[in-house]
Amino acid sequence: MPVVDVNPDELRDLTGHDEKSDDELIDDMFALGLEYEGETEDGDLQLEFAPDRLDRLSVEGVARSLRYQYGDDRGVYVPGTNDPDWTIEVDESVPDERPYVTGAVIRGVDLDDHALDSLIQLQEKLHATMGRKRAKGAIGIHDLTMLKGRAATGDGEGGEVGNSITYRGIDPDGDRFVPLDSDAEMTPAEVLRVHPTGETYAPLVSEYDRYPAIYDDIGLFSFPPVINGRRTEVSTDSRDLFVEMTGTDQWTIDHMCNIVCYALAARGAKIEAVEVEYSDRTLRRPDFGVQTKTVTHERIERTLGIDLSAERVLDLLERSGLDAETNEVGDEELAYEVEIPPYRVDVLHPLDIVDDVGRAYGFNDLEPRYPDVGTVGGRHDRSKLEDAAREVLVGLGFEDLLNFHMISEEENFERMRIAPGDDAVGGGDPASILEPYSEDYTMLRTWALPSLMMVLENNTHRAYPQDLAEIGLAAEVDESENTGVAEHRTVAGVLARHDASYEDAKARLQTVARNFDVELETPATDHPTFIDGRTAAVVMDGERVGVLGEVHPEVLVEHDLELPVAAFEFRLDALE
Amino acid sequence: MKLPESHAAVLNAASADDARTIDQLADDTGFKPETVTGAVFELESEGLLAVEESVEETVTLTDEAREYLADGLPEVRLYETALDAGADADPVSMGQVIGQSGLEGPEVDIALSNYARKGYGAIESGEITTDADADPERDAEADALADLDAGEAVGDEDTLDQLERRGLVTRAESTVRAVTLTDEGVTALMEGVEVSETVGQLTPEMLTSGEWKEVEFAEYNVEADAERIEGGKTHILRQTANRVKDTLVGMGFEEMEGPHADADFWINDCLFMPQDHPARTHWDRFALEEPTKIRDLPEDLVERVRDAHMNGVGDDGDGYHSPWSEEFARSIALRGHTTSLSMRYLSGHEVGDLEPPQRFFSVEKVYRNDTLDPTHLLEFYQIEGWVMAEDLSVRDLMGTFEEFYAQFGITDIEFKPHYNPYTEPSFELFGTHPTTGEMVEIGNSGMFREEVLSPLGVECDVMAWGLALERLLMLMYGFEDIRDVHGTLCDLELLRETEVLH
């Protein structure tokens, strides 16, 4: 979940509530779903929240939400935008993989250290969330005064737009610029090789034939989504900014741009539109258009489980920063046409508006009630069988165990003296994990005996006898299954004691078979895990379902055991 | 008076004016000292014997001391060799003296450290001299060792302390009991003491012959600890799971079951999780290398799910601005939550179309590619439950969970508004810890979104929640490291010793 650092003084300033203590602010933010996690070294409050309200990824957004909560603001606010002076021309050479761009010009911003930190944080957090680590959307912010626009070529319509920059694709070594945090001129390909930021983001573009690049009249100044040029770096002296965003989806970058513009507007900056000129269309950005969704009164009452008046609903909507009108016409069902501000990225469906109403009302003020719905409960057959078998094993004195289903090939096969594909219990082909995180967990176990041997190995310092049993999942690759994996429950038991013998294991198995009225036969067989001549197949009601025997000394020594172990394993469904 | 055999023998062996020790009584009667001790205490409590306890110190020679008794103390041997080499006249080289002395290994250090201390001479700059006044025949430590060996007491505490420091003797204190007959004991003996017959074990023969009527059973020390045995026990996490299952069945929930390795379609796509959601990236899930794809998915459902992702649901619905590929949806992974089972059941493809009302649950394993630490496992049990009915509200959800958690002693539930891609409204559940009183997170819940239900063909409301079973276990038992309990690193002792909860 995202964490945002918020300076409490800035928060007081931006909300206009100087009287609020830090603790009061923390409580107020908890009510919004922002959970206080601690303080940074600089005394900022660290707040964690679920990744829906991404417009709260900076102090400005948090302050805006608080002002609605306090009732200082109501309804939708849209900042005005001035007419465009700048154009982003999209050249035909732009990489197919990353064809979209958007932007805005910000004028008269007052960037003190706090404001600049907040802007940088917002940019980083948007990259991490909506931007999918810059893959989907990447933000570049530049000092406008350092840009030299070319006279826009224009599309013949008016041509009064004065300046332009160009988004295009270039050869990886096709041009040079000085990236941020560097003194050297390098090509985009060199940036990926030698610049730390370049190395981090290289996987995003390294497969592209042409690399994304943004030019002004002077030349290359930005290499999205990797790094900006040093020439246009923003500092606390910057007053006018150029914001550009590139990505794989126009909607996503447009909304990231809206969130940045709203944050800067909250600090008194003036937003100026830019024109984005694609070969087939021209967009005016930022797009502060207000979306509308219709939600019925019935839906709100049903989901919240309470009766509300239309006035109350309208009030709650406005306190959520939304605008609404009832559309009551004749016999039509009472509904609300709700306007959603352009910084909201979480409203996909009318029920998201119901959630806003609930939050404004206060979910914890709702009275819980037990639903008056009658149903009959019950256990799954397999789970009942599993419990019955477990009860018999525990009655026989086995300690019931619960091990991981994931295991390593070494534990599952090699240390048990078997190999994948062996015609033996446990020798199935493993369902294996793609690029496993840990070498101890690389596959689903094909049988449970290796897990029990590992428990014995880890408990040699504990009192003997150790009689252990487990009923749990085992799985192997099976092409006849829809998922390609055959999963079954397996029953495994070990008897580790100074005089453990085949007979001890068989005696217990006989009891299990008797309890489930299953005919047990144990014809001699061989299995590498067990001692030859002391190994039998477990045959229940005529079907081979497992193996039984004295564990081979090599397996015992491998597991650091200094006493014999008798063991069995068979399929649970044999007891059905 | 009738007494058990050992008691009678001890009473007979005791004397009114000559105090006897336990060992002496054991020698006299032929019973083991522990039997005699038991008899003595019982006779004392009957007033027949008097027992006086005193503490006696025993000093025992160590093996090292016995070697020195044979060979002489190392420092004495050094002195004698030095004397032979003429060190009484002129200093002699150390190396030479040690070579001739036959002292080896640690004996050399022992000899050197005691030599000067006991006034046998001096060692300076690698040369050794002897003191004219030294007399090895009058070495207090050697004398004490000889006395102890002869069974005589040594009164000189300083010498004993010194010998103990040198590791040549061990000293132990023991309680000595002096036993005398009381007047009552004398009277009893004069009146005559008979031996009553006692038996140790009741045998089948005694029962059939009726002999049991004639015998007296030897008394056991019923307070002594018996041998430890290990009974089998259902694993505590399993016990907790069963308790959850019982509770839910009692609340009208039916159990679900389904594949652990499943298509991402059932695990994520049906849940309206966008395919570029961070939780669906490589590092959070366990994708399988083998097998890779599911063979069959219900085609019409795939189409409806794709449409929900791309275009949203309903007139006013929006989709995600993310790509959606059926190829990804078909890929097999270990399920990250058992909500995949809920999707299968709600779709009608598991147990047929479901008509409301319904309640379903499962307590099954899920897999998360997380870091293994005291509170996180790569695989853990998830409690999953849902209720399907016409017209369910947030209040019904709250009421259901309050009821469920109350069964586990967790009360004062708080509902913190939350966000999940698949539910709206959504709540994180917090409850008061039954013992510490802290607020702890106990689950995640919500009403399934239209974008989830509509493609599945569900036309009524469904509320759902999930919770890690291990979390409930740790709250109930107070464990600090879940790895001691769940998995192959488990501690058998902990499993055997954990108190049974009920």
Side-chain angles (χ1 to χ4, degrees):
Chain A
M1 294 210 287
V3 175
V4 59
D5 301 340
V6 167
N7 179 299
D9 292 330
E10 290 240 296
L11 198 55
R12 277 183 278 268
D13 205 27
L14 287 161
T15 54
H17 283 270
D18 288 342
E19 80 288 357
K20 291 269 184 190
S21 69
D22 286 7
D23 286 342
E24 284 173 290
L25 289 172
I26 287 169
D27 284 347
D28 295 341
M29 288 189 287
F30 187 85
L32 289 176
L34 297 149
E35 209 172 323
Y36 175 69
E37 291 284 299
E39 271 188 25
T40 65
E41 282 177 10
D42 303 332
D44 286 358
L45 310 177
Q46 291 185 298
L47 303 160
E48 188 184 55
F49 64 102
D52 54 340
R53 292 296 300 270
L54 299 174
D55 55 297
R56 293 173 179 161
L57 284 171
S58 68
V59 63
E60 299 88 355
V62 175
R64 177 174 57 237
S65 291
L66 282 175
R67 285 184 59 80
Y68 282 117
Q69 187 191 32
Y70 297 150
D72 298 337
D73 288 330
R74 298 175 73 83
V76 175
Y77 166 73
V78 178
T81 49
N82 291 337
D83 287 339
D85 184 35
W86 286 78
T87 299
I88 305 173
E89 289 178 1
V90 183
D91 190 75
E92 280 180 14
S93 64
V94 79
D96 296 338
E97 300 90 339
R98 203 174 181 87
Y100 301 107
V101 62
T102 193
V105 165
I106 315 289
R107 296 212 188 253
V109 71
D110 178 15
L111 286 179
D112 60 11
D113 284 333
H114 287 309
L116 186 58
D117 284 349
S118 177
L119 182 61
I120 290 167
Q121 172 175 243
L122 177 60
Q123 190 176 345
E124 282 172 0
K125 303 283 175 185
L126 282 172
H127 278 154
T129 52
M130 280 185 87
R132 306 290 192 229
K133 297 183 179 154
R134 304 194 192 184
K136 199 173 187 180
I139 307 168
I141 302 180
H142 310 273
D143 189 328
L144 185 69
T145 54
M146 300 309 291
L147 286 177
K148 182 166 188 285
R150 270 177 303 170
T153 53
D155 52 7
E157 291 174 32
E160 65 272 20
V161 172
N163 298 296
S164 83
I165 60 171
T166 310
Y167 178 39
R168 63 163 61 117
I170 62 168
D171 188 84
D173 283 311
D175 205 346
R176 309 179 78 80
F177 73 117
V178 181
L180 285 175
D181 305 319
S182 172
D183 296 324
E185 254 198 354
M186 41 186 113
T187 67
E190 283 166 358
V191 169
L192 300 192
R193 278 200 304 275
V194 304
H195 195 288
T197 311
E199 286 174 44
T200 306
Y201 294 99
L204 293 180
V205 293
S206 55
E207 299 293 309
Y208 291 9
D209 292 335
R210 295 186 304 279
Y211 284 1
I214 306 179
Y215 280 75
D216 68 352
D217 201 34
I218 300 170
L220 174 62
F221 70 92
S222 182
F223 171 29
V226 180
I227 198 161
N228 290 342
R230 202 170 137 174
R231 163 157 61 98
T232 59
E233 183 172 4
V234 175
S235 71
T236 47
D237 297 330
S238 305
R239 287 293 165 268
D240 297 335
L241 307 178
F242 196 104
V243 177
E244 47 79 10
M245 307 201 187
T246 63
T248 57
D249 178 69
Q250 187 76 48
W251 184 94
T252 302
I253 54 175
D254 283 343
H255 281 77
M256 288 166 75
C257 187
N258 289 352
I259 290 171
V260 171
C261 288
Y262 262 81
L264 289 166
R267 292 191 178 270
K270 199 67 203 150
I271 312 298
E272 179 181 301
V274 301
E275 285 200 343
V276 180
E277 222 172 82
Y278 291 102
S279 61
D280 58 347
R281 64 196 184 281
T282 301
L283 308 175
R284 183 183 157 121
R285 289 291 181 269
D287 177 6
F288 286 164
V290 170
Q291 252 211 326
T292 304
K293 291 198 193 296
T294 304
V295 58
T296 63
H297 187 75
E298 187 271 339
R299 178 72 202 232
I300 295 171
E301 287 192 331
R302 173 156 61 98
T303 301
L304 301 184
I306 48 171
D307 294 331
L308 291 166
S309 67
E311 291 70 34
R312 186 78 202 278
V313 172
L314 289 171
D315 176 56
L316 292 169
L317 287 168
E318 285 184 11
R319 278 170 48 194
S320 307
L322 305 167
D323 278 345
E325 280 177 17
T326 56
N327 73 336
E328 213 169 359
V329 186
D331 293 338
E332 241 181 72
E333 190 188 355
L334 174 59
Y336 305 89
E337 273 199 20
V338 182
E339 291 189 342
I340 301 140
Y343 55 83
R344 289 287 295 269
V345 294
D346 59 314
V347 184
L348 302 182
H349 189 275
L351 57 89
D352 294 307
I353 295 165
V354 177
D355 185 57
D356 275 13
V357 174
R359 287 176 190 243
Y361 180 91
F363 279 116
N364 275 302
D365 291 340
L366 297 175
E367 182 81 21
R369 70 174 173 211
Y370 193 77
D372 182 17
V373 172
T375 54
V376 178
R379 296 280 293 272
H380 192 276
D381 283 344
R382 194 268 304 148
S383 132
K384 284 192 279 191
L385 174 64
E386 196 181 313
D387 273 5
R390 185 170 292 118
E391 194 177 325
V392 172
L393 290 171
V394 167
L396 284 165
F398 285 102
E399 187 76 36
D400 173 43
L401 288 187
L402 213 155
N403 288 308
F404 297 138
H405 297 161
M406 286 187 289
I407 197 169
S408 70
E409 303 225 353
E410 192 189 352
E411 296 286 357
N412 191 79
F413 296 118
E414 285 147 47
R415 298 187 78 210
M416 301 299 284
R417 299 180 81 228
I418 60 172
D422 276 0
D423 181 21
V425 173
D429 285 321
S432 49
I433 312 283
L434 181 71
E435 297 176 45
Y437 191 60
S438 156
E439 60 184 17
D440 295 333
Y441 306 100
T442 61
M443 59 174 279
L444 287 177
R445 66 183 183 187
T446 57
W447 58 330
L449 204 48
S451 310
L452 293 181
M453 293 302 294
M454 288 164 78
V455 174
L456 289 178
E457 181 178 16
N458 291 326
N459 281 280
T460 51
H461 59 304
R462 296 305 185 197
Y464 286 100
Q466 293 179 7
D467 297 350
L468 316 177
E470 177 172 9
I471 304 179
L473 185 93
E476 61 187 53
V477 171
D478 182 347
E479 282 172 11
S480 70
E481 294 286 335
N482 190 24
T483 57
V485 181
E487 300 174 7
H488 73 274
R489 303 284 158 154
T490 186
V491 184
V494 292
L495 299 157
R497 34 175 75 202
H498 72 275
D499 57 354
S501 72
Y502 173 85
E503 204 187 334
D504 295 325
K506 177 153 181 192
R508 284 160 179 79
L509 205 52
Q510 283 172 180
T511 306
V512 174
R514 240 180 9 256
N515 272 285
F516 285 88
D517 193 21
V518 171
E519 194 197 337
L520 174 70
E521 294 165 88
T522 55
T525 188
D526 48 25
H527 188 296
T529 304
F530 300 91
I531 298 173
D532 276 348
R534 299 181 175 194
T535 311
V538 175
V539 176
M540 288 181 171
D541 285 342
E543 249 187 273
R544 282 173 88 99
V545 292
V547 67
L548 152 78
E550 288 182 18
V551 175
H552 196 284
E554 197 177 304
V555 176
L556 298 178
V557 170
E558 172 66 33
H559 288 86
D560 289 336
L561 297 176
E562 293 174 352
L563 76 187
V565 174
F568 60 79
E569 172 148 4
F570 64 94
R571 294 176 63 100
L572 176 70
D573 52 17
L575 300 179
E576 272 172 9
Chain B
M1 175 178 276
K2 272 198 171 188
L3 288 174
E5 192 186 350
S6 58
H7 291 51
V10 167
L11 200 61
N12 275 312
S15 140
D17 38 42
D18 180 15
R20 319 290 302 273
T21 65
I22 298 287
D23 286 341
Q24 288 168 332
L25 288 172
D27 281 348
D28 292 349
T29 59
F31 286 99
K32 289 179 186 167
E34 50 269 34
T35 310
V36 172
T37 305
V40 163
F41 281 130
E42 282 171 33
L43 291 167
E44 184 194 19
S45 68
E46 287 170 29
L48 302 175
L49 290 180
V51 182
E52 241 179 74
E53 297 188 346
S54 60
V55 177
E56 195 169 86
E57 188 186 63
T58 51
V59 181
T60 319
L61 295 176
T62 63
D63 291 346
E64 188 182 344
R66 297 201 178 282
E67 280 176 32
Y68 297 162
L69 275 171
D71 303 340
L73 289 167
E75 61 272 23
V76 175
R77 287 163 63 193
L78 184 67
Y79 171 78
E80 283 166 350
T81 313
L83 211 55
D84 289 350
D88 51 341
D90 295 305
V92 181
S93 138
M94 276 283 297
Q96 184 196 335
V97 175
I98 288 171
Q100 288 167 359
S101 71
L103 291 167
E104 280 179 353
E107 285 180 344
V108 175
D109 286 337
I110 293 169
L112 294 176
S113 62
N114 289 298
Y115 187 76
R117 175 178 69 81
K118 289 168 70 173
Y120 283 112
I123 296 161
E124 262 172 53
S125 321
E127 294 189 319
I128 190 164
T129 53
T130 56
D131 189 321
D133 297 333
D135 180 2
E137 296 304 318
R138 295 190 48 189
D139 187 305
E141 293 174 17
D143 292 349
L145 288 179
D147 287 350
L148 288 168
D149 190 42
E152 285 168 34
V154 172
D156 180 359
E157 278 297 313
D158 290 346
T159 305
L160 275 180
D161 286 347
Q162 185 61 40
L163 289 176
E164 192 178 18
R165 272 197 294 278
R166 290 186 66 173
L168 299 181
V169 300
T170 54
R171 301 161 81 179
E173 290 188 340
S174 58
T175 305
V176 176
R177 300 190 172 88
V179 180
T180 49
L181 274 176
T182 61
D183 292 347
E184 282 174 66
V186 174
T187 313
L189 278 174
M190 281 162 48
E191 286 172 357
V193 171
E194 284 179 55
V195 173
S196 62
E197 199 178 340
T198 62
V199 295
Q201 179 82 40
L202 180 62
T203 62
E205 290 74 25
M206 282 181 206
L207 287 169
T208 48
S209 67
E211 189 195 341
W212 60 271
K213 293 177 198 159
E214 313 298 327
V215 301
E216 183 170 337
F217 293 100
E219 286 179 12
Y220 294 153
N221 177 2
V222 294
E223 289 179 11
D225 283 336
E227 184 193 354
R228 174 181 158 145
I229 54 170
E230 305 301 340
K233 187 157 82 177
T234 304
H235 192 277
I236 44 180
L237 188 56
R238 198 76 77 176
Q239 288 182 33
T240 311
N242 282 345
R243 206 169 137 179
V244 170
K245 291 181 184 184
D246 285 348
T247 301
L248 288 170
V249 168
M251 289 170 74
F253 285 79
E254 206 175 327
E255 192 174 14
M256 300 183 288
E257 143 103 353
H260 292 241
D262 207 352
D264 241 56
F265 180 75
W266 294 111
I267 304 172
N268 284 313
D269 291 292
C270 283
L271 276 171
F272 200 51
M273 293 276 281
Q275 290 194 341
D276 64 355
H277 191 281
R280 297 188 68 171
T281 59
H282 164 64
W283 285 112
D284 273 25
R285 60 198 272 275
F286 282 112
L288 290 196
E289 179 175 46
E290 179 64 33
T292 54
K293 303 282 175 200
I294 198 165
R295 193 174 57 229
D296 299 316
L297 287 175
E299 274 176 42
D300 47 345
L301 180 56
V302 171
E303 228 14 78
R304 290 196 300 269
V305 167
R306 179 211 303 275
D307 191 51
H309 279 252
M310 303 305 287
N311 305 313
V313 162
D315 296 339
D316 270 357
D318 294 321
Y320 287 123
H321 300 271
S322 303
W324 196 89
S325 105
E326 189 176 333
E327 220 23 40
F328 187 12
R330 284 181 176 276
S331 62
I332 301 279
L334 300 182
R335 62 189 181 203
H337 44 213
T338 40
T339 320
S340 57
L341 303 183
S342 303
M343 295 300 104
R344 283 174 167 269
Y345 276 67
L346 282 167
S347 75
H349 286 273
E350 208 63 40
V351 287
D353 285 334
L354 298 174
E355 290 298 321
Q358 300 283 347
R359 286 186 172 92
F360 274 92
F361 82 99
S362 68
V363 183
E364 289 283 342
K365 264 211 176 152
V366 299
Y367 306 83
R368 300 265 171 99
N369 208 345
D370 210 329
T371 320
L372 204 58
D373 67 30
T375 56
H376 292 92
L377 296 174
L378 301 186
E379 43 185 280
F380 57 92
Y381 281 84
Q382 184 187 337
I383 306 168
E384 162 97 7
W386 49 270
V387 182
M388 170 203 233
E390 307 286 354
D391 298 353
L392 283 174
S393 76
V394 168
R395 292 176 57 199
D396 297 307
L397 179 147
M398 294 173 165
T400 299
F401 301 146
E402 285 204 339
E403 198 61 45
F404 173 77
Y405 287 107
Q407 304 291 323
F408 299 89
I410 300 166
T411 52
D412 304 326
I413 309 270
E414 282 215 24
F415 297 84
K416 183 184 157 209
H418 187 59
Y419 166 75
N420 297 312
Y422 40 91
T423 53
E424 184 83 322
S426 311
F427 303 95
E428 276 186 315
L429 307 178
F430 289 79
T432 308
H433 190 287
T435 50
T436 67
E438 280 173 284
M439 284 295 278
V440 285
E441 192 190 332
I442 49 168
N444 187 353
S445 69
M447 317 283 289
F448 275 133
R449 293 184 69 97
E450 293 271 338
E451 293 92 334
V452 174
L453 295 177
S454 173
L456 294 170
V458 175
E459 286 169 356
C460 56
D461 293 329
V462 179
M463 62 191 209
W465 94 110
L467 159 70
L469 177 67
E470 279 80 349
R471 189 161 191 95
L472 194 58
L473 173 104
M474 290 173 91
L475 284 179
M476 288 168 62
Y477 287 87
F479 291 136
E480 281 172 5
D481 192 337
I482 189 63
R483 294 170 297 188
D484 287 341
V485 180
H486 186 175
T488 48
L489 293 173
C490 71
D491 181 355
L492 279 183
E493 192 72 2
L494 180 81
L495 293 180
R496 286 167 166 170
E497 295 294 314
T498 299
E499 185 186 348
V500 176
L501 294 189
H502 46 83

